[in-house]
């Protein structure tokens, strides 16, 4: 495990660990080309995008989902 190389992480509180994970995720998002992606995942994403383009009416926007779940207008 990678965490074994960073024992100080185990000393963090749960809240601090969540912040740490969020910051790691944000750092990865800043450099998406450096994140390895397996070919089968790329193929699946391509398949899903093609399905979306061919049948956009089958999908629900994020805004509509938020409105239904949270009961509010965005």
């Amino acid at each position: 495990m990678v965490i074994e190389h960073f024992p100080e992480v185990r000393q963090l509180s749960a809240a601090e660990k969540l912040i740490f994970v969020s910051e790691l995720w944000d750092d990865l998002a800043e450099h998406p080309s450096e994140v390895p992606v397996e070919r089968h995942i790329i193929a699946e994403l391509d398949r899903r995008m093609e399905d979306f383009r061919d049948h956009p009416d089958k999908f629900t926007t994020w805004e509509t989902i938020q409105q239904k779940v949270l009961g509010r207008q965005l």
Side-chain angles (χ1 to χ4, degrees), residues 5-69:
H5 299 286
F6 303 95
E8 58 276 6
V9 172
R10 293 198 188 272
Q11 303 301 316
L12 299 174
S13 68
E16 291 169 325
K17 287 177 183 176
L18 287 171
I19 292 168
F20 184 59
V21 168
S22 176
E23 289 179 0
L24 283 173
W25 190 258
D26 290 344
D27 186 64
L28 287 170
E30 288 179 20
H31 311 283
S33 63
E34 295 176 11
V35 178
V37 182
E38 297 178 20
R39 290 184 186 267
H40 74 276
I41 293 173
I42 293 171
E44 177 63 16
L45 291 171
D46 288 343
R47 184 196 66 76
R48 291 180 186 196
M49 183 57 76
E50 184 176 340
D51 190 34
F52 171 73
R53 287 187 184 121
D54 291 345
H55 310 285
D57 54 305
K58 289 180 16 180
F59 298 88
T60 305
T61 66
W62 177 239
E63 290 78 16
T64 301
I65 292 169
Q66 284 181 312
Q67 184 178 353
K68 287 180 180 179
V69 172

